[in-house]
Amino acid sequence: MWLERDEPPVMNGLVAITYLLAGGEVLWIARLYSIFFWSIGGFAIYSLAKRFVQLPAVVVALAVYMFLPLSIYASRSFQVDPLMVMLICLSALACYDWAQIGGWKRAVTTGLLFGLTILRRQPERGKAIETDPPLSMILSPLADRNFRKLALFG
C-alpha cells in the first residue's frame, strides 16, 4: 500500500495509464514525462529569475538548472524527482507572485502547489515542515510580511 511508503505513486500511475494506452511497456514514454516535468520546472525558474535579474543572468540560471548532473540523470531515467522539483519551482513562483501582487486566487494557488509538493515528497517522519530545506528557504524571506497580513485578515 502506498501509505506505507509515505508517497503516493503519482508518477507510476501516470506512466502505467500511458502504458495501457500505448499497448505495452514503452520505456521512452516514462522518460518523456521526466523531460516534460523538468522542462516545466525550467519555465518556472526562467519566469522567477527574469523578475530579479537581467536576461544574461536569467539564461545562466536556466542553464545551471537544466545542465546540472542531477537534471541530466533525472530526465534520462524514470524517477519521481523531476515531478517533485517541478512542483518546488512552481511553488516558489506562485509564492513570489502572491507576495508581490496578493489576492485570494494567488493565495489558494500557492497553497495548493505547496500542498502538492509536500504530498509528493514528504519530510522525514518526526521533522516539522519548517525544517525541510527547500520549503524553509522559499518561505523565510516572505514569512514576516505575509503572516502579518494573514493575522490581520484571517
Side-chain angles (χ1 to χ4, degrees), residues 34-35 38-39 42 62-77 79 81-82 85:
S34 294
I35 292 168
W38 208 266
S39 299
L62 186 59
V64 166
Y65 171 80
M66 293 299 253
F67 297 113
L68 279 176
L70 172 67
S71 54
I72 292 171
Y73 289 125
S75 64
R76 290 180 53 205
S77 63
Q79 300 178 26
D81 293 334
V85 171

Side-chain angles (χ1 to χ4, degrees), residues 16-128:
I17 290 170
T18 308
Y19 284 166
L20 283 174
L21 294 174
E25 288 187 24
V26 184
L27 295 179
W28 57 267
I29 290 176
R31 291 181 183 152
L32 280 180
Y33 280 119
S34 294
I35 292 168
F36 176 72
F37 291 144
W38 208 266
S39 299
I40 295 296
F43 171 74
I45 292 288
Y46 173 81
S47 297
L48 193 58
K50 77 177 185 178
R51 296 171 188 186
F52 291 106
V53 293
Q54 294 180 356
L55 187 60
V58 172
V59 171
V60 169
L62 186 59
V64 166
Y65 171 80
M66 293 299 253
F67 297 113
L68 279 176
L70 172 67
S71 54
I72 292 171
Y73 289 125
S75 64
R76 290 180 53 205
S77 63
F78 176 62
Q79 300 178 26
V80 298
D81 293 334
L83 178 60
M84 180 198 63
V85 171
M86 177 197 72
L87 287 170
I88 289 172
C89 294
L90 289 174
S91 298
L93 178 63
C95 189
Y96 180 78
D97 282 345
W98 175 52
Q100 294 300 311
I101 301 168
W104 283 106
K105 184 177 178 182
R106 285 182 178 81
V108 169
T109 303
T110 302
L112 287 174
L113 283 170
F114 272 119
L116 286 173
T117 303
I118 293 169
L119 176 70
R120 185 63 234 131
R121 187 65 142 209
Q122 297 174 358
E124 293 180 31
R125 286 190 179 164
K127 282 188 173 181

